[in-house]
Amino acid sequence: MPDAIPVTKSSRRRFLQALSISGVTTVASVASVTSLASPAAAADAPVLVGDGKTDDAPALQRFFDLNLQPPFQTGKTYLLNSPVFLDDADRTSMYVVDLNGATLLLGKSLPTTDAFYRDPTTKWAIFPNTKRSALAGGKVNVSVATRGTGVYTGALISMVLRNGTVDGAGANVGLSFANRTGSKFESIILKAGRTLLSWFDYSDASVFIQCHNRAGGPAASTLIEQINSGDGLLMQSCKADATVGLARLKYCRGAEIVSTVTGRIELDQCSAIMIRGGHQETPLANDTIVDVRSSDVVLDTTALYLARGPVGSALPPAIRITDTGTAPSSVVLRDCTEMRALLDTDDELGALVSIDKTIAGTKFEARSLTSAVSVRKVGGVWNPSIGPDITGVGTIAAAVAASSAVIAGGSFILRNPGSGWAARTTIESQNTVATAPVVALAVSTDAFVGSLAGSGTRYRCRGVLPDGTETPWTTYTPVAAAVTGTIKLVISTVGGPQELQIRRYSATSTTAEAHLSVPAGAVAHTLYDTGGALNGFAWLPGT
């Protein structure tokens, strides 16, 4: 086994001073002080077994107490079956652990804490900034009185963990429950566990970089589960499997979630939250991907995929707004794209946003929101689509239906100013000319299997401008046969965003068999009629 590396505070200062004297500007990590190792300290170091059966927590505790860097080895599994307390009274102490590709296996005998009020049965392995004397009878009393740095002072960053896996073995177990202190996780995989981090009291400036939440644990699994105040959270380039989450935040005042992939995000009474550059795939688990409850959030330059299922299914929205109490939500989508990913079947897609419960002041706003469609056989090619699909309960749905042309523009505010729900455009002028759309039947090499009858179909449409002006109806398209059960159309609009009213006819009939009214904000829209749906919008019967 490699020799342990002592990391006393005095040796750290001498090493950094030496760097300064020599003119070197590189910042040293804890592991950079190898040349200052004390043979005596190394000889007294405890031993980590790493066989996945022996409880390595007491040895790990001893490493921390001696200010030694624990020498984890690649490929080994280290069982933590008793708690580890990072309880140095010095508020600047920082425990830096490089797992070096190893796994921490969280055991069945770990303690709980009532401070995790959301589920007091959850077990925890590491307690940053809580005194070890707080453990009694299988519970840890995480409180102000048991804080390692004292009643009036929190620690800055108690723990940095990087480069390895935390395995919960499918149990309701979390890694770290902090006590007024920040934490940093970098390149950590959470495998079949509840969470990497939660905390008591204010724990600011926690950071997650390139972490991954793998499925197999509790249904509530998420990388971070915030239940108390704590601000300045950063999550960057993290990912979650479809059925588990990235972040469940409560009382957060300022967070940035950047370049994440999939994974549920829940916001409860939060403010100043930014979700930017993300790729959120709702259909992987057909569950809402961003759940907003009485919170302020901006989603910026993010791809939002829609839930998918058979026509007529009850599908969840990608974003859900549910307000209670006295704090209204403000949800802003800025330069985002509604992603209409079609498979080789006749499917309906869920809504992009659903406003399910409101109080006075609840608001949804879009700025340059667009919609795009792609089919599996074409891979990464995305074309402008009809959309977006915004909905809500009661009068909200009616207000959306009456404002389809405004929503098509992609820049609008949907709210109730006191006189009823309405959508108002936020761009000066959307349309100036009432000219009929142009419909073309496209020769398709990317058509896929749908349920449209092959006996022949034709279409026509018209536009409705924001001021209510209706364009003339187009002429009927030629009758087209759906060889594979799908017909591809391209509809071009003139004069800017508008509501597009589309009618579908069987062969040469002049009585529509199905119709749709949808937002159309692009110049040309690529559409796939799969029989039951058009780009995932379910056809309505008749005219």
Side-chain angles (χ1 to χ4, degrees), residues 135-151:
L135 173 65
K139 286 187 177 182
V140 177
N141 175 24
V142 181
S143 64
V144 173
T146 62
R147 186 175 295 147
T149 51
V151 173

Side-chain angles (χ1 to χ4, degrees), residues 192-215:
R194 168 99 185 211
T195 190
L196 290 178
L197 176 67
S198 189
W199 62 75
F200 167 79
D201 207 358
Y202 274 91
S203 292
D204 294 336
S206 290
V207 176
F208 293 76
I209 298 176
Q210 203 182 29
C211 296
H212 194 146
N213 189 7
R214 300 303 308 270

